[in-house]
Amino acid sequence: MADKAVSEEASMDGQAPKPTSIPVTDNTVWADASPLLDAACIGLRYGELIHGDNFNLFAAMSALEIMDPKMDSGIVCRYYSIDEAIENGAAPVPISLDSTIDVQCTIDIMDHLLACEAAWHKGHSLAQTVFSCIYLLRLDRTASHALLHSYGRVIRATCKAVLSVVSDARTHEEEDLFTMTYGLPLNGDGDEKCLSMLNAVEETISRQLRACKATSSKRRVSEDLEPLQYNPNLEEGFCKALLCRLRFRKHFFHVLTCMKRPQGRGLELARKHIASCISELEFILKSAEFLQSCSGESCEDDIDDKTTASGREPIGFDASLNSRLSAPTPPRAIKILSWKKAVEYFVKLLHDLDVICSYSLDPHLENLLRFVVQFQKSQPDLVARSHLQLLLVQDGKLYGRDPIFAVITKAAALPEATKNHDIQKNESILQLGQLVMNLLKILCTNAAWQRRKLGKILQDWRVIYLQLELALRNEFGEVSSSSNDENICMKIFQHILIWVEEQTYWIACRFLMLGFELELYSASEYCMVYWYSYAVLIKLAEKTHLKMAVSYDTAKRKGKKKRDSPKDLVRESRIPPAVLFLQCYICLAEGLTMMLAALRNEFMILQSPSPFNTEQEKFVQHFELLQRACIPDHASYLSFKESTTHARFSTLVMYNYFKDAQRIAKEVKSSFSNDPDRLAELRKLEQVAEHNSVALNLICRLGALDPSLKVSFEFSHHPFFATAVVRRS
């Protein structure tokens, strides 16, 4: 036990710790284990370790390696405690008696805190990033330094606001360390007044900037105002550098508070603060040249790796002080982002938040799902996704204002009047509402977590469909024996049943597509993935078409038309644009399936027999969650083999699926002239279809004659639908 205690307190250079720094109690006896460890090292060969008789593999996995900085949380580089660090002058207040150096060092602290904050957002622990700052750990000490004190308070309040958002959204499950505060001093008295303190400091520096710009006659009026520092040649540059940093902090804190207002009431104001934040970040970047010229250090070669704009090392930071707060896990080796990378991170974060704030809070679930999927394409980080989730789901309602049942009835294409029907109290309907909210939350997580959760909830959606179907049969029976009110209830159930099936296949489709984004499929598995995608897309298009047809029929009956006009008959016979859009996906999926199968059957390309698992086992691994939920019915490995075994290029040329996809994409473009995202998607699909059609013809003409012909697949035009590339080796 004594050895363990000493090992945790030993320094990296092997020096014995200071006796005064080790807390001694009546029940503790400290002994120097260094001679024992030195003797053991001499007697041990490489790979051997000392262990007791009861030491086993499980214990080995949980063991700590003494003196390893990544494993031994007891290692202390310089100080054993915050108080010792302060006593040794690690975080002086004031930083320097020379006001110019004091200002320079304060700016360095601000820049390094920005880099630490970005590293925290990226998933590192708060203790080893932002709160590696000794000034933040003892913020009351900085009360005499108005600039540092006000900045520290707003940093602490900002961290608290970000923690609150991520914790409330519960997206922190992706990165458990994010919300661990380790007993850090986050709740300071008076932090609610942090902005008023910051504003006062900002106003003082603004006056100092105006004073240094003023003419000699006007300067006499400002003689009572003490300058920021006493080098007149540097005054303006330092004032500007400080102001843009203070203003960024102020506006960023406003962004966080505005976005958390209920029902999206603060989004418009948040956008104004976001624009101000981005503007101040530009000024911060511009200040780097001035700060580097003042630093007096030549660091042009590695300035991009520095955590400050000046390139100097900041004062008042020691990540090792909080290393023991990382229990129960060993401390991580953390590399703080460079200052430039940190600024880039915040620019992207602000752009992502601006996209969220600019959203129109559309009550149509279909449009909302499309927005979330489109938003995820920019790969937003945890903080932005947490804000999106909190906006979407508040108090069990969409945007905190629209009841989930009303959202479901609108999505199921039911009349507006049905949103207040008592059927919403049905247990199965209530469970469906919960599933919808869970789906929205899942879609706000990162791609890997999202795919995992989507695969699991597919069974829940399938079960709720069966429960609703059973409730429909049990409660309403035959249509002829029903009252008018019961007939309305039955129609609501029927519409919702169709929509639930459509939504289930949408989730399955999203699950499959995310596999491409996460690079879970090898080239030899593309054939089975596109085959399964084709089967799911067929069902999705079928259910979407059915929902629209039922909706059209309901609207027509409501209009009480006695006779169908020729225009109505033509309109009814047309395939809706949304279904044609899906048909374009279907043609590409089928075309790629058959092309890949033909390459394997005729040219033995993309065959990679694995020594570990068979093709059937891979099929099960990829689609097990879908098959458990019977999505779609009868989609088995046997049916996949039957569909692809006889694929030949001669057949593919006769019926070119890619040309069909091209034709549909061109035809349906006019229907989405007001939807730029879908138009962009159609252009991508058209490019994939065009290139694959050319590749198909080339393979058919030259494949058998030219053995040097090589075919590979790239995702150069679309993230999910591959493009065939034909080359000569």
Side-chain angles (χ1 to χ4, degrees):
M1 191 65 196
D3 294 351
K4 176 73 168 64
V6 173
S7 72
E8 289 185 347
E9 302 294 336
S11 62
M12 288 184 69
D13 57 3
Q15 295 294 321
K18 298 177 183 178
T20 56
S21 302
I22 302 174
V24 179
T25 64
D26 295 338
N27 300 322
T28 305
V29 178
W30 294 95
D32 186 1
S34 299
L36 175 63
L37 295 174
D38 289 338
C41 288
I42 295 169
L44 287 173
R45 287 183 302 217
Y46 183 76
E48 290 183 332
L49 75 160
I50 299 173
H51 62 85
D53 294 335
N54 61 344
F55 194 75
N56 52 31
L57 179 61
F58 178 79
M61 296 298 291
S62 308
L64 295 181
E65 187 176 341
I66 295 173
M67 306 305 292
D68 184 343
K70 295 182 181 179
M71 293 293 289
D72 189 350
S73 59
I75 285 182
V76 178
C77 296
R78 282 177 287 182
Y79 310 110
Y80 291 104
S81 66
I82 299 166
D83 292 330
E84 184 184 346
I86 292 169
E87 286 172 12
N88 283 273
V93 179
I95 302 170
S96 174
L97 295 176
D98 185 326
S99 59
T100 303
I101 295 173
D102 188 87
V103 171
Q104 279 181 313
C105 292
T106 303
I107 293 172
D108 289 340
I109 291 168
M110 291 177 174
D111 288 347
H112 190 76
L113 277 171
L114 186 77
C116 287
E117 191 177 2
W120 173 49
H121 286 194
K122 288 285 189 179
H124 292 300
S125 74
L126 188 62
Q128 291 180 276
T129 52
V130 179
F131 278 85
S132 65
C133 180
I134 300 170
Y135 291 108
L136 280 182
L137 292 168
R138 293 284 190 274
L139 195 56
D140 54 311
R141 291 180 58 250
T142 63
S144 60
H145 197 298
L147 179 57
L148 193 57
H149 189 67
S150 61
Y151 194 85
R153 277 195 179 275
V154 79
I155 281 278
R156 189 164 67 181
T158 300
C159 289
K160 189 177 176 181
V162 170
L163 270 171
S164 173
V165 168
V166 176
S167 297
D168 291 347
R170 295 187 179 179
T171 47
H172 63 277
E173 290 180 350
E174 303 170 15
E175 181 49 78
D176 294 333
L177 286 174
F178 191 93
T179 54
M180 288 186 180
T181 57
Y182 310 101
L184 295 168
L186 274 167
N187 300 309
D189 294 333
D191 276 1
E192 64 278 358
K193 298 177 182 177
C194 65
L195 284 182
S196 60
M197 295 178 67
L198 197 74
N199 286 333
V201 172
E202 181 194 343
E203 176 58 29
T204 301
I205 297 174
S206 296
R207 289 171 60 202
Q208 289 167 333
L209 177 61
R210 288 195 295 270
C212 76
K213 285 182 173 181
T215 59
S216 56
S217 58
K218 291 181 180 178
R219 194 170 294 170
R220 289 176 194 149
V221 181
S222 305
E223 281 181 357
D224 59 328
L225 181 66
E226 188 178 346
L228 184 66
Q229 49 82 55
Y230 289 99
N231 186 336
N233 297 324
L234 304 177
E235 181 76 357
E236 183 178 346
F238 279 132
C239 285
K240 287 181 176 179
L242 281 171
L243 281 173
C244 58
R245 283 160 173 79
L246 294 174
R247 286 167 180 165
F248 167 76
R249 275 289 147 211
K250 177 180 69 175
H251 289 298
F252 187 61
F253 187 72
H254 276 305
V255 169
L256 297 175
T257 52
C258 288
M259 288 192 73
K260 210 173 178 185
R261 289 181 189 174
Q263 300 180 16
R265 290 178 187 143
L267 297 183
E268 189 176 343
L269 183 58
R271 289 198 76 187
K272 294 178 181 178
H273 286 295
I274 287 169
S276 298
C277 278
I278 293 171
S279 175
E280 297 302 335
L281 283 173
E282 289 174 0
F283 288 125
I284 289 173
L285 283 171
K286 288 176 183 177
S287 70
E289 186 178 349
F290 166 76
L291 294 171
Q292 286 165 28
S293 67
C294 297
S295 67
E297 294 183 16
S298 179
C299 52
E300 294 178 3
D301 295 336
D302 58 348
I303 191 69
D304 289 343
D305 297 326
K306 299 293 184 178
T307 59
T308 61
S310 66
R312 304 188 331 164
E313 287 297 317
I315 292 173
F317 289 85
D318 190 343
S320 66
L321 279 174
N322 293 324
S323 61
R324 276 174 249 167
L325 294 178
S326 299
T329 59
R332 290 183 175 185
I334 290 179
K335 180 169 173 52
I336 301 297
L337 293 182
S338 70
W339 174 73
K340 283 189 176 179
K341 292 284 184 185
V343 172
E344 288 171 9
Y345 165 79
F346 275 99
V347 168
K348 184 182 185 303
L349 172 62
L350 289 162
H351 280 302
D352 289 338
L353 293 177
D354 190 55
V355 171
I356 296 169
C357 293
S358 62
Y359 182 56
S360 61
L361 307 189
D362 194 331
H364 291 85
L365 189 63
E366 182 185 354
N367 296 339
L368 170 58
L369 295 178
R370 199 179 305 121
F371 166 77
V372 176
V373 170
Q374 186 66 29
F375 177 72
Q376 286 280 29
K377 288 180 181 178
S378 67
Q379 297 182 332
D381 282 296
L382 179 63
V383 176
R385 287 186 279 105
S386 298
H387 275 286
L388 176 60
Q389 185 189 312
L390 284 185
L391 172 65
L392 299 186
V393 182
Q394 300 174 25
D395 302 323
K397 295 179 179 179
L398 184 65
Y399 314 124
R401 69 179 191 203
D402 299 328
I404 293 298
F405 182 70
V407 174
I408 291 170
T409 54
K410 195 181 287 287
L414 280 161
E416 184 73 15
T418 58
K419 70 178 183 181
N420 298 318
H421 200 281
D422 283 345
I423 200 172
Q424 64 187 293
K425 297 174 184 176
N426 181 282
E427 187 179 347
S428 297
I429 296 292
L430 291 172
Q431 289 176 7
L432 177 61
Q434 192 61 48
L435 282 181
V436 172
M437 286 190 289
N438 287 342
L439 174 62
L440 291 174
K441 290 178 181 180
I442 289 167
L443 290 173
C444 293
T445 58
N446 65 40
W449 195 266
Q450 185 183 150
R451 188 176 188 273
R452 179 183 169 193
K453 290 288 188 181
L454 287 177
K456 288 184 176 181
I457 66 163
L458 275 170
Q459 280 183 286
D460 297 332
W461 279 82
R462 198 63 168 173
V463 167
I464 206 70
Y465 173 81
L466 296 173
Q467 287 178 353
L468 288 167
E469 193 176 42
L470 188 62
L472 176 64
R473 290 177 185 172
N474 292 342
E475 292 187 31
F476 306 112
E478 296 295 326
V479 180
S480 57
S481 62
S482 303
S483 66
N484 189 46
D485 189 52
E486 286 177 335
N487 200 18
I488 292 170
C489 289
M490 187 185 68
K491 285 176 182 175
I492 292 173
F493 262 109
Q494 287 173 335
H495 276 256
I496 289 176
L497 274 170
I498 294 168
W499 173 76
V500 168
E501 269 204 300
E502 179 198 20
Q503 198 59 48
T504 305
Y505 285 111
W506 183 91
I507 294 169
C509 190
R510 177 76 181 150
F511 173 83
L512 290 168
M513 297 303 183
L514 280 170
F516 286 106
E517 187 177 324
L518 294 166
E519 299 180 0
L520 300 179
Y521 313 128
S522 65
S524 62
E525 296 164 350
Y526 289 165
C527 185
M528 68 172 72
V529 175
Y530 285 122
W531 178 86
Y532 213 104
S533 299
Y534 164 76
V536 170
L537 285 164
I538 282 282
K539 298 296 286 186
L540 177 59
E542 178 188 313
K543 300 305 173 185
T544 303
H545 199 178
L546 179 59
K547 182 188 75 174
M548 291 179 167
V550 171
S551 171
Y552 176 76
D553 185 55
T554 303
K556 191 171 70 172
R557 288 185 185 182
K558 190 178 178 182
K560 297 180 181 178
K561 292 184 179 180
K562 293 182 180 179
R563 189 179 299 171
D564 291 325
S565 66
K567 285 184 179 179
D568 290 331
L569 292 171
V570 171
R571 193 182 297 115
E572 195 172 352
S573 63
R574 284 179 185 165
I575 299 174
V579 178
L580 284 172
F581 192 93
L582 289 171
Q583 191 65 44
C584 197
Y585 281 152
I586 290 166
C587 289
L588 283 177
E590 190 173 11
L592 282 165
T593 300
M594 293 299 121
M595 178 190 274
L596 288 157
L599 283 169
R600 185 176 58 183
N601 295 338
E602 292 189 49
F603 301 104
M604 303 302 170
I605 296 175
L606 299 174
Q607 285 187 332
S608 59
S610 169
F612 304 108
N613 48 15
T614 63
E615 186 181 54
Q616 185 170 359
E617 287 170 337
K618 289 179 183 178
F619 187 94
V620 172
Q621 287 167 0
H622 284 307
F623 313 123
E624 183 180 11
L625 292 172
L626 296 170
Q627 295 204 300
R628 279 185 196 170
C630 301
I631 298 172
D633 292 325
H634 314 300
S636 63
Y637 177 72
L638 183 62
S639 54
F640 160 66
K641 291 302 287 183
E642 287 175 352
S643 303
T644 56
T645 301
H646 304 292
R648 295 291 183 273
F649 279 107
S650 56
T651 313
L652 276 175
V653 172
M654 289 172 61
Y655 186 77
N656 193 326
Y657 301 101
F658 300 121
K659 285 185 177 178
D660 282 351
Q662 266 185 282
R663 176 181 54 78
I664 294 168
K666 286 177 181 176
E667 288 176 4
V668 82
K669 272 182 183 177
S670 58
S671 302
F672 298 106
S673 55
N674 296 323
D675 191 337
D677 290 336
R678 283 203 174 186
L679 277 177
E681 178 72 359
L682 283 167
R683 280 193 288 271
K684 290 177 185 176
L685 297 175
E686 199 175 350
Q687 284 181 314
V688 173
E690 183 182 354
H691 282 79
N692 282 340
S693 185
V694 172
L696 178 62
N697 290 330
L698 194 61
I699 294 166
C700 289
R701 283 191 291 109
L702 304 175
L705 302 172
D706 190 349
S708 66
L709 214 61
K710 300 295 179 185
V711 183
S712 60
F713 288 85
E714 299 175 354
F715 294 91
S716 49
H717 298 104
H718 196 277
F720 311 134
F721 293 104
T723 303
V725 179
V726 184
R727 296 187 180 95
R728 282 190 172 88
S729 57

